[in-house]
Amino acid sequence: MAMTEYLTLAQARRVALAAQGFADRVPGTEPERRHLRRVLERTGLLQIDSVNVVQRAHYLPAYSRLGPYDPALLDRLAYRKPRDLFEYWAHEASLVPVRLHPMLRWRMRSGAAWGRMVHIAREQPDLVRWVREEIRAKGPISAAGVEGDLDRPRRKDHWGWNWSDTKTAIEWLFYTGEVSVARRNSAFARVYDVPERVLPPEVVNAPTPPDADAFRELVRVAARGLGVAAEPELRDYFRLPLAGARQAIADLVESGELVPVEVEGWAPRAYLHAEARIPRRITAATLVSPFDPLMWERARVERLFGFTYRIEIYVPPPQRLYGYYVLPFLLGDRLAARVDLKADRKSGTLQIPAAWIEPLTGRGAPAPAEVADSLATELRRFAGWLGLDEIDAPQRGDFAEPLTKALLASSAPTA
């Protein structure tokens, strides 16, 4: 695109959505591995989260961009050789392209893990050494498998993950890159092995770049995936240190890969990726995961869409505004509604505890009736992808009644 120094808010939304892949053509046939790789080229990485109220978080971004696809495709890219992805702490726990492994080694050698991992490494080096050798000798192996070879009681004095010392030692080794994740087992627990048996040889043997080069490449990936963003979002994509991210941004501005721009209504300085495009329109109509890269930086979401979002999983039920697991609904270039969803797999039903509409204004804003009809269609598509046969009516929310009517109309037989 031609360089510009100013973007309207509508243009910025379209740039952001196109960068994330929402302007790409949806496959006319069942999505294949090449389509999934295209999604990963757009997003740069996928966040992993253990919550499975609807679907595991890392499967949802591809659905939002491709429509119904086989999640086993992603499993093969992540956990079968020759693998395209590996697990590591990138944004949060993430699936990351293997080519970026060298770019994350600065974190592996930083030793900047949290809490008990650092304590275990310092206070029980013999345990860490034993765990490392156990995985090398017996991997792939789960934490439970390692613990089974060591007569150590599990700690029960911590309210959080309640990791045993052995599990904590394994996670320290994972953070420092001394072990990798070979796969996930049926309980979605990590199964560990040494990197040389997990990663492609060319990745294991690739030289480690200087930190400045790594930061520059990670900001480059972030900028390509975001399209247009302020400094905090470019840094947050891979959770980079402030000074390193700022220098990388300055370097990319100097090289012409990032263009400083003013965005309508934004207070912070924005940076536009030099290869970003501004499509004339966005035709998406899809649910978006709370853990989608589009939603990561809440301040940017609010600046782009006027959409205030908070994950309320850990909020006490009486204090929740919208619900336990709320998915935004993207219609065109607007986040037009939000629905609290739960997949009741036992009954084969997609439950909708709540539905809410956004107060959209301005040119191109969809009317409430259009939002209701489009969302009803999307919920039926989504339920089908999840293997659910029924959809319950919304229980509460200011959009419950219009959405209920639209769902009934969409299920009625045609003459």
Side-chain angles (χ1 to χ4, degrees), residues 66-82:
L66 301 175
Y69 78 103
D70 183 359
L73 286 175
L74 182 57
D75 292 338
R76 286 196 285 272
L77 291 183
Y79 302 117
R80 291 191 186 177
K81 298 178 180 179

Side-chain angles (χ1 to χ4, degrees), residues 26-39:
V26 175
T29 58
E30 184 175 353
E32 301 172 0
R33 186 176 298 197
R34 61 189 174 92
H35 299 115
L36 193 55
R37 286 187 172 127
R38 185 186 70 190
V39 170

Side-chain angles (χ1 to χ4, degrees), residues 142-342:
S142 68
V146 177
E147 287 172 336
D149 294 329
L150 183 68
D151 185 18
R152 280 178 179 262
R154 176 181 292 274
R155 287 172 56 103
K156 296 184 178 180
D157 58 351
H158 189 266
W159 66 269
W161 287 326
N162 194 25
W163 286 351
S164 68
D165 286 353
T166 308
K167 169 65 173 173
T168 304
I170 294 173
E171 289 301 321
W172 166 259
L173 293 169
F174 174 57
Y175 192 96
T176 59
E178 295 182 75
V179 303
S180 296
V181 176
R183 64 178 186 272
R184 293 272 181 161
N185 64 22
S186 59
F188 199 61
R190 289 171 175 152
V191 176
Y192 304 88
D193 207 342
V194 290
E196 55 266 34
R197 292 201 293 256
V198 172
L199 301 170
E202 62 271 20
V203 172
V204 173
N205 298 323
T208 299
D211 288 0
D213 291 352
F215 296 153
R216 200 158 40 244
E217 178 59 21
L218 294 175
V219 170
R220 184 180 287 119
V221 172
R224 188 179 297 117
L226 292 168
V228 60
E231 176 194 288
E233 296 105 57
L234 292 169
R235 179 164 55 91
D236 179 72
Y237 216 75
F238 285 95
R239 301 290 167 86
L240 301 177
L242 178 59
R246 282 184 173 172
Q247 184 59 55
I249 291 169
D251 292 345
L252 294 175
V253 169
E254 184 176 358
S255 69
E257 294 177 72
L258 289 182
V259 181
V261 294
E262 179 184 350
V263 176
E264 177 188 2
W266 286 26
R269 165 64 64 88
Y271 299 91
L272 179 71
H273 192 272
E275 297 177 2
R277 62 191 182 98
I278 310 178
R280 297 185 64 179
R281 61 196 298 258
I282 301 288
T283 59
T286 188
L287 292 164
V288 179
S289 165
F291 300 99
D292 193 288
L294 183 69
M295 302 299 297
W296 280 347
E297 232 294 337
R298 307 291 191 241
R300 178 174 180 265
V301 171
E302 189 155 0
R303 292 198 311 271
L304 277 171
F305 300 101
F307 189 90
T308 303
Y309 187 77
R310 178 187 185 191
I311 295 177
E312 298 185 284
I313 291 172
Y314 302 109
V315 176
Q319 299 174 26
R320 290 177 191 145
L321 294 177
Y322 297 106
Y324 180 81
Y325 198 77
V326 176
L327 280 73
F329 176 55
L330 176 67
L331 182 59
D333 67 353
R334 309 293 185 101
L335 293 176
R338 60 184 93 200
V339 284
D340 185 19
L341 297 179
K342 179 179 180 180

Side-chain angles (χ1 to χ4, degrees), residues 329-373:
F329 176 55
L330 176 67
L331 182 59
D333 67 353
R334 309 293 185 101
L335 293 176
R338 60 184 93 200
V339 284
D340 185 19
L341 297 179
K342 179 179 180 180
D344 186 338
R345 296 173 179 86
K346 186 174 182 179
S347 67
T349 302
L350 180 63
Q351 298 176 352
I352 311 176
W356 311 86
I357 192 168
E358 289 297 297
L360 301 180
T361 60
R363 183 178 179 182
E370 180 187 355
V371 177
D373 290 344

